[in-house]
Amino acid sequence: MMSRFLLSATIAAALSAVASAQVGRSVDDAALKNAAKNPAEWTTYGFTQGETRYSPLDQINTSNVSRLGQAWSYDIGRGGGNQENTLLAWNGALYGITNWSIVYAVDARTGKEKWRWDPEVNQAAVRPKICCGVVQRGLALYQGLVIAPIIDGRLIALDAQTGKPAWEARVSYTQDNYTITMAPRIAKGKVLIGVSGAELPVRGFFAAFDALTGKLAWRFYTVPGDPSKPFENPALKKAAETWSGDWWKLGGGGTVWDGMAYDPDADLFYVGTGNGGPWPEELRKSKGKDNLYVASILAVKPDTGKLEWYFQPVPGDSWDYDSVQQLLLADLTINGRPRKVLMQANKDGFYYVLDRVTGQFISGTPFAKITWAKGLDERSGRPFINPEAHYGTEPIQISPGPGGGHNWSPMSFNPATGLVYVPTSTVSSSTFAVDTDFVVKPNQSNLGVKRGAPPKDGGFAPPPPATLPSPPAIGPEPPPEGQPRNVLVAFDPVAKQIRWQTPGGGSIGGGTLTTAGNLVIQVIPDGRLVAYSADKGEKLLDVQTGLKGGMGPPITYELDGKQYIALAGGMGVVVARNVEPGAPAPAPAANTIFPKLMTFVLDGKPVQ
Ligand code: CA
């Protein structure tokens, strides 16, 4: 007779066999749809196609997270600016991409390099086209392929085992002022990707390619083109009514550089679009017009790219309110009714909840200081824009500034607590004034604002003097003067309330992960990895990794029965923003912390 111990050991072995049967399974449409049921791996940018960044793993939990230590680290290699990359974990390997788009695979047990593939980007040509640092956010996996965005506009599929190219597609050209910094996503056998660069004269778009061959399936422009030519689709014909003058000569903006999500049941693919270009609506010759589809959330059919619905958080954007932030899909009960929602913590300071099937507005709640709008129409979600926020030639102070209340750094949603963990800049602001001396620079940044622009040495302009006029503020009470203004906000999207908040993060940097271990795990741009209880926000871990200057969002995976936390942090080479064309590559600063991939386990080594 089998002893109880042996019996449970046998059951454990059987369960473990089931778990490891999942590991390394081909990443196909069904696997992506069911990604949450395979928490041992992290196979798509946001963990699931709904981009929840919630892992059901709970070996690391509130009772033991303080015992977290280093497992191993891997030198990512030089190149680029801050790390923004979300790693992927599949089939015993971790996959990452450097800022200059070098793709690498390392053994997820040991950190030993499996392969490395360099697309040999012409850095001198690309550098002047980058608005905001040389960065890359991630990769996609599909059917044994790693699909990599190349910053110069290529999309390349590599064999996940060998790193050898399988196909190459052209999304955009550097010469047309486009770059690619976002992670591709997969829907129904297609890989979807957008382009960056709405500060330059570009016409934003996103496109779908066959994920197995790289053949272009369709392209969706987010703003209408020259109206003397046929519109590409009826949606753009409609959009053209919301523009005037000769907007198309400067492109219009609306680039797609971060948030995407897919609901396979609704068969809708969601995309956030960037700011209008140039920034002031006046210089787009569109005063008082909505300028569809800039600063919008779009739902399209992945097979065809047909627009099913749109919601525009910021009609007539004049403040760089890219609405590209993470699109997080969840099922919530709101007013007693189950709702399939799409949520976004927008740059503009409002937390939006939409019905993701119909696009209907459900709620929009300020989560940071807002002065550009008085509030939102309860039924439509359309903002009541403060008239003075549509600035003229006299400088005015507006919140949030171009960094946003929330930006690219990922939030996460824990279904057990019902909370979303949003890295937030509580009092972001900037000055705006129309540049009366504006002249179009054909291949450079064309903001069209006199102040509040990103200076050449990187970073947005410091907050203006308090004497500048500013519209009245709405939103939660900011932390008191002298306290950190960059915080992690735990937001309840049903009650529309902040449940707790704690210093650390900010709109750029501070990405989060949440787990069934009742944890929120966050990276802080100063190099720290921190953990909080997800329900109450009690700090349980605060460890300095030494990887200052940029911290990619944390992921988690499980291998050989051990749960890991992994991240990419540090800097490549400090690169100035908006460099002049032909400028030489800047040398790394003496104190540059070259980037590493670092993994953590319970009872690991002290961090080195
Ligand atoms: Ca922008």
Side-chain angles (χ1 to χ4, degrees), residues 69-73 94 108 557 564-567 597-601:
Q70 191 180 318
W72 52 262
S73 72
L94 290 183
Y557 63 96
Y564 290 76
I565 308 287
L567 61 91
L597 188 171
M598 221 176 244
T599 57
F600 303 86
V601 288

Side-chain angles (χ1 to χ4, degrees), residues 134-497:
V134 181
V135 297
Q136 278 294 3
R137 296 193 191 85
L139 300 162
L141 289 168
Y142 193 67
Q143 304 272 40
L145 299 173
V146 178
I147 300 171
I150 311 301
I151 199 162
D152 62 14
R154 288 174 284 166
L155 186 66
I156 296 191
L158 305 169
D159 183 304
Q161 300 302 332
T162 65
K164 296 276 182 280
W167 56 255
E168 175 172 329
R170 176 57 73 172
V171 182
S172 59
Y173 291 95
T174 305
Q175 292 87 338
D176 293 334
N177 302 313
Y178 295 113
T179 49
I180 304 182
T181 56
M182 68 172 291
R185 315 295 212 281
I186 303 288
K188 285 179 107 176
K190 293 191 171 58
V191 50
L192 287 98
I193 185 86
V195 289
S196 310
E199 276 62 46
L200 286 95
V202 296
R203 184 185 182 202
F205 72 86
F206 58 102
F209 296 82
D210 184 297
L212 295 179
T213 67
K215 185 171 181 289
L216 178 70
W218 50 261
R219 183 190 303 265
F220 187 97
Y221 284 101
T222 58
V223 297
D226 182 347
S228 72
K229 296 176 183 154
F231 293 108
E232 286 87 355
N233 57 55
L236 286 174
K237 187 168 183 222
K238 184 181 167 194
E241 294 163 12
T242 68
W243 294 76
S244 58
D246 50 4
W247 78 88
W248 67 93
K249 291 185 178 165
L250 279 175
T255 50
V256 173
W257 56 266
D258 186 18
M260 285 183 167
Y262 178 52
D263 178 347
D265 295 323
D267 193 30
L268 287 174
F269 191 86
Y270 307 100
V271 175
T273 71
N275 59 279
W279 284 2
E281 59 167 9
E282 202 162 305
L283 295 180
R284 298 197 299 275
K285 317 253 178 86
S286 284
K287 206 153 175 53
K289 300 264 185 171
D290 285 357
N291 292 174
L292 292 170
Y293 302 95
V294 304
S296 297
I297 297 166
L298 311 177
V300 302
K301 284 289 182 191
D303 286 328
T304 58
K306 181 175 176 284
L307 183 68
E308 292 292 316
W309 60 255
Y310 70 89
F311 174 80
Q312 187 178 40
V314 191
D317 167 51
S318 291
W319 312 275
D320 190 33
Y321 289 156
D322 301 83
S323 297
V324 303
Q325 294 72 48
Q326 183 175 350
L327 302 171
L328 197 157
L329 312 185
D331 295 345
L332 303 178
T333 301
I334 298 174
N335 296 329
R337 191 178 150 200
R339 303 295 296 260
K340 289 174 176 291
V341 304
L342 173 152
M343 305 191 282
Q344 184 186 56
N346 194 292
K347 247 191 183 186
D348 74 6
F350 288 99
Y351 190 93
Y352 293 94
V353 181
L354 309 178
D355 183 311
R356 71 172 178 267
V357 180
T358 63
Q360 188 200 351
F361 172 78
I362 296 174
S363 66
T365 311
F367 65 94
K369 181 183 175 184
I370 293 171
T371 66
W372 69 281
K374 293 189 226 308
L376 306 178
D377 182 272
E378 266 182 37
R379 203 182 53 80
S380 67
R382 191 178 173 88
F384 302 113
I385 298 174
N386 280 311
E388 60 269 48
H390 277 298
Y391 49 92
T393 53
E394 290 302 311
I396 186 170
Q397 183 178 352
I398 296 290
S399 286
H406 173 233
N407 200 297
W408 70 270
S409 53
M411 58 186 195
S412 53
F413 171 67
N414 191 316
T417 62
L419 300 178
V420 183
Y421 305 98
V422 189
T424 301
S425 290
T426 55
V427 291
S428 156
S429 75
S430 189
T431 57
F432 293 87
V434 174
D435 181 2
T436 44
D437 303 323
F438 178 70
V439 283
V440 176
K441 291 167 283 187
N443 294 302
Q444 295 180 49
S445 189
N446 282 279
L447 301 184
V449 290
K450 207 157 37 183
R451 301 174 65 186
K456 284 181 178 157
D457 57 353
F460 284 97
T467 50
L468 275 178
S470 177
I474 58 168
E477 197 63 37
E481 204 71 48
Q483 295 291 309
R485 300 301 184 86
N486 289 334
V487 303
L488 174 63
V489 165
F491 184 77
D492 181 334
V494 174
K496 298 179 278 186
Q497 282 175 5

